[in-house]
Each structure stands twice: as C-alpha cells, then as structure tokens.
Amino acid sequence: SDTKTLTWAITASAIATNGAVSPAAITSGQSVTLTRAGTLNFGLAWTENVIWQPNGGAVVLGNKAMGSQGYTPAAGPGQYWYQSRFVDTYINFRDQWISFTVAPLAPAGLTVSNVQSYSAVLTWTAVSGAAGYDLYRNGIKLNPGGLLTGTSFTDATAQAGTTYTYTDKAVTADGIVSASSAAVTATTIPATFELFTPRP
C-alpha cells in the first residue's frame, strides 16, 4: 500500500577521438605510424580500421586495440585516408578520418644534351604515379602553363654563352609534388659574329 518515487539518470554516450597519422606526408616506399587514441565514457569494446587508397580501394586493417602500428602504403602516390571507428560497450560508435599524402619519387636521370647557343634538350626517367612534371631553370619554372606529360623538353629560350642549372619534379594528378631531382648544369655556346669591312 506504500508509494515510492523512482528516479534515474540517463547518460548519453560520449566518445572523443584523438588518433593521429605521423608523418602526414611521406614519399613512396616510406611508412607512417597510425595511432588510435580516445576516451569513451562507456568503455571501449573495439576499434575498426580501414585505409582508403587514392584509387578508391580499401585496405581493411581489422579490429585493433588502442595504440600504434606501422603502415606502408602500397597503392602509389596520392592522398590516403585512415578511418578508425571507436565502438563502446553499448555499440555506440564514432569515426575518425585522418588524411595523409604520399609523394612520388623525385625524377631520376635528368640529363642535358644537344646544347646550342639558344637551346638545350632535357630528358629524364618516368616516375611511377606521376601525371606530369615541372621543369625548372635556375629555380624558375619553364612550363607555367601546365604539366609536361612527356620525359623530354627543349629549352628554346636560352641565351648564348650562359650557364644554366636545371631540375625537375614529378607531380600527381591531385597536385602532390615530389622532391627535386638532382641538378644538371649546361653552358650554351657563345654566339659568333662575323666581322667585315664594307667596301667604299
């Protein structure tokens, strides 16, 4: 015959993510460290982890505990995303997305040939994953209008008797740029002048 008042509190799930990818930019062949970290007021049940590649493919890393692991991207240069899903003991979850980039290798084998008074021919080796190349003469880009899509270029704006230093960089379709190639130097041929004495 008694009456009781029952009072209860409903606590919402709170999930805070604090993962990381380090370093955020690497070159093809290098590795990153994937770190899973966060707080969940109902406790962590598991984390689900996926790497999304530049070509849209997915690499499923599986369920992991909090902590870190190494990862070496295998799909070539481009932008990658690390997706980590933190799931609590009541199956509430929150995703964390972290991007990182993989730059192409620097072009190799840059050479200069057929050096004339007002021109020189540059050639280099193709780079996997590159959409094109930027070529520089004394630090100034020779192709400001767009990427060079081949592996050779004729510098037709050189001046006679001048020494130039050339480098080039590989660039992906989404604009990720490699380090500079090794530099090559060329000196154009001095211009020749014919001296003559006009007839009276």
Side-chain angles (χ1 to χ4, degrees), residues 86-174:
F86 295 75
V87 185
D88 71 14
T89 55
Y90 288 94
I91 319 301
N92 302 298
F93 67 87
R94 183 174 183 180
D95 289 343
Q96 183 176 20
W97 293 79
I98 308 171
S99 67
F100 62 98
T101 59
V102 178
L105 296 173
L110 179 63
T111 59
V112 58
S113 62
N114 196 22
V115 179
Q116 304 295 319
S117 294
Y118 300 101
S119 66
V121 176
L122 286 302
T123 58
W124 57 91
T125 302
V127 175
S128 176
Y133 306 89
D134 286 330
L135 183 65
Y136 297 83
R137 184 182 69 194
N138 293 349
I140 299 173
K141 190 186 295 186
L142 285 173
N143 54 298
L147 294 177
L148 302 174
T149 55
T151 56
S152 66
F153 180 83
T154 298
D155 178 9
T157 61
Q159 298 298 308
T162 305
T163 299
Y164 295 110
T165 298
Y166 296 94
T167 57
D168 67 342
K169 298 178 181 180
V171 185
T172 67
D174 47 0

Side-chain angles (χ1 to χ4, degrees), residues 13 18 32 44 50 63 67 70 94 114-115 119 162 178 187 190 192:
S13 170
N18 192 31
V32 295
L44 176 70
V50 179
N63 297 341
R94 183 174 183 180
N114 196 22
V115 179
S119 66
T162 305
S178 76
T187 301
T192 58

